[in-house]
Amino acid sequence: LFFVVPTIQAFVSSLTDWQGVTLGRTFVGAANYQELAADPLFGQTLATTASLVVLGGLILFPLAIALAYATSERIRGGRFFMFVILAPLAISVVAAALLWKFAYDPNFGLVNAVLSAVGADGLTQSWLGQTNTALLAVAIVIGWQGIGTSGLFFAAAIDTFPPELPEAAKLDG
């Protein structure tokens, strides 16, 4: 009800010339989709979105698996790793966006402050204001925001392994 009905309504609206604020709608069929396909910015947007998804996944999944493994092995600091997994889940998307906006701030942000503190002043820059760094900066935020859910799923999956399986793997070399 909450997914199918809005999806159908959005699709029906996409077949009209509705501006979003008027009551009148004129059916135009696939003309909106033809106009979209002819727009060169649309292809660039699709490529950027695909890059963001791939880059975010490359950041997210290895870290989530490593943190999930660290929490399941009862190693020293396991509670800290659980905090790292759960912290992004406790913060709303809006609060996380503001947090990272301030972290990436070119004047008083945490990222540039840390780079300056370790003597890498040449690397400080406007992370979200330049086209060559903005995609990576946003992908890091997406990876951080998704690490909680993925980490919990991976930790649950690791905990379901029978204890004999790792022992047999160690014996087999």
Side-chain angles (χ1 to χ4, degrees):
L1 181 67
F2 294 106
F3 179 75
V4 175
V5 171
T7 302
I8 292 171
Q9 288 176 336
F11 178 71
V12 169
S13 293
S14 75
L15 300 174
T16 67
D17 68 347
W18 186 45
Q19 300 300 315
V21 292
T22 61
L23 293 176
R25 297 181 187 193
T26 306
F27 181 77
V28 294
N32 289 335
Y33 291 103
Q34 291 170 344
E35 183 180 338
L36 186 63
D39 188 356
L41 189 59
F42 179 68
Q44 181 182 355
T45 304
L46 281 179
T48 302
T49 302
S51 300
L52 187 60
V53 167
V54 169
L55 194 56
L58 289 174
I59 292 169
L60 169 67
F61 290 114
L63 284 174
I65 290 171
L67 288 171
Y69 181 75
T71 60
S72 68
E73 286 300 311
R74 309 290 179 246
I75 63 173
R76 185 176 175 174
R79 288 182 184 243
F80 171 75
F81 293 121
M82 187 57 77
F83 169 76
V84 171
I85 287 176
L86 295 176
L89 288 175
I91 299 174
S92 72
V93 175
V94 174
L98 289 173
L99 173 87
W100 282 97
K101 179 183 177 268
F102 289 125
Y104 283 135
D105 187 272
N107 298 320
F108 59 88
L110 181 65
V111 174
N112 283 342
V114 168
L115 288 172
S116 294
V118 297
D121 291 321
L123 296 176
T124 61
Q125 56 190 299
S126 175
W127 295 96
L128 296 174
Q130 298 178 356
T131 56
N132 60 340
T133 58
L135 187 68
L136 177 62
V138 172
I140 289 170
V141 174
I142 289 172
W144 178 82
Q145 187 72 32
I147 204 165
T149 306
S150 299
L152 284 177
F153 286 145
F154 289 140
I158 290 171
D159 287 343
T160 62
F161 283 172
E164 300 84 26
L165 190 63
E167 291 174 14
K170 286 179 185 175
L171 289 174
D172 290 340

